[in-house]
C-alpha cells in the first residue's frame, strides 16, 4: 500500500488510484476475519467462567443490560410465596 501511494504521487494514473482502493479493501477484509477469529477464540476461552470481559459481553441497549435477569425476575419474597400458597386463585363454575 505504501509503495502504491509513492507511485501515485509520482504519476497518478487512474489505474493506480483504482488499485489502491482494491488493496485497501483486501487489507480490511483480512483484518476483519483476523479480528473476528480472535474474538471467537477469546469467547471460547471465557465460556462458562463467572466473569467475562466487557468487550466480549453482548452489546444490547443500555436498558437491556441493566434489566433483571430471568432468575432475578422469577425470585419471590417468602411473604408473597406464603400468600400465594395460602390464597390460591378461586375456581368458579359458570352456568351456561
Amino acid at each position: 500500500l505504501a509503495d502504491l501511494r509513492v507511485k501515485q504521487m509520482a504519476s497518478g494514473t487512474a489505474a493506480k488510484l483504482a488499485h489502491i482502493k482494491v488493496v485497501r479493501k483486501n487489507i480490511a477484509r483480512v483484518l476483519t476475519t483476523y479480528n473476528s477469529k480472535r474474538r471467537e477464540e477469546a469467547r471460547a476461552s471465557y465460556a462458562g467462567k463467572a466473569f467475562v470481559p466487557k468487550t466480549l459481553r453482548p452489546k444490547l441497549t443500555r436498558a437491556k443490560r441493566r434489566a433483571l435477569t430471568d432468575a432475578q425476575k422469577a425470585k419471590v419474597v417468602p411473604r408473597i410465596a406464603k400468600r400465594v400458597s395460602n390464597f390460591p386463585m378461586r375456581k368458579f363454575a359458570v352456568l351456561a
Side-chain angles (χ1 to χ4, degrees):
L1 184 63
D3 187 41
L4 281 172
R5 292 221 189 272
V6 171
K7 287 178 184 174
Q8 175 192 2
M9 294 307 287
S11 61
T13 61
K16 284 193 179 89
L17 293 174
H19 192 61
I20 285 175
K21 183 177 180 181
V22 171
V23 170
R24 284 178 64 235
K25 297 291 181 190
N26 287 338
I27 290 170
R29 200 172 290 119
V30 169
L31 284 176
T32 300
T33 55
Y34 172 74
N35 287 332
S36 64
K37 190 170 185 290
R38 272 185 59 200
R39 208 172 293 117
E40 285 172 15
E41 289 169 359
R43 275 206 181 93
S45 68
Y46 279 101
K49 297 260 171 68
F51 297 103
V52 178
K54 286 191 176 179
T55 53
L56 298 178
R57 293 177 195 172
K59 182 81 167 89
L60 304 175
T61 60
R62 193 164 186 250
K64 283 186 180 178
R65 284 195 305 267
R66 281 155 180 70
L68 294 174
T69 61
D70 291 335
Q72 290 169 335
K73 281 183 205 166
K75 265 193 171 178
V76 180
V77 179
R79 178 170 172 254
I80 302 299
K82 200 181 295 180
R83 184 192 301 164
V84 169
S85 67
N86 288 342
F87 302 101
M89 281 289 281
R90 295 185 178 177
K91 297 177 185 81
F92 296 98
V94 179
L95 294 172

